[in-house]
Amino acid sequence: MVAPEDEELEEETTARELEASILRAFREDESRRTAPLSPENAATIVNAMRGVSFSGYTPEWADRVPEDLWLDYLRRLRGEATAATPRI
C-alpha cells in the first residue's frame, strides 16, 4: 500500500514533468516558426507560389495599400534593400 504523501508527491512530480514537457514543446515550435528560411527553401516557396492563381479574385484590402508599398514590405522581409517607404 502506498502512503497518501507518496501519492501526492508522485502526482506533483508528474504534473511538473508534464508542464516542463509542454513548455519545451512550445519553445521548440516557436523556434521552428521563427527560424529563417534558407535561400534554397525561400526560392522553392517563391517558385511554387508563382503558379498560384486566385482566378481574378482580389481581397478587399488589396486596393487600400499601393502595390509599391507591398513590394517594398516584401523586400524588407526578404532582407533586400529598398527605397525609404512608410511601414505597413
Side-chain angles (χ1 to χ4, degrees):
M1 185 163 168
V2 178
E5 304 86 39
D6 291 340
E7 279 186 25
E8 284 183 29
L9 181 60
E10 187 176 324
E11 286 177 10
E12 288 176 15
T13 301
T14 301
R16 277 196 300 273
E17 289 171 352
L18 179 60
E19 187 167 339
S21 177
I22 291 169
L23 290 173
R24 186 172 43 257
F26 277 120
R27 281 193 304 271
E28 290 171 0
D29 182 58
E30 181 68 15
S31 177
R32 277 190 300 273
R33 290 187 305 111
T34 59
L37 286 174
S38 69
E40 296 82 21
N41 286 345
T44 299
I45 292 169
V46 168
N47 288 332
M49 293 304 294
R50 288 177 207 260
V52 173
S53 172
F54 295 102
S55 303
Y57 172 75
T58 304
E60 63 182 54
W61 55 262
D63 292 330
R64 292 186 290 216
V65 179
E67 186 171 341
D68 59 332
L69 289 181
W70 276 115
L71 292 174
D72 281 347
Y73 176 73
L74 294 173
R75 287 184 182 116
R76 282 195 307 271
L77 286 177
R78 292 176 65 180
E80 298 175 10
T82 63
T85 57
R87 289 200 171 263
I88 296 176

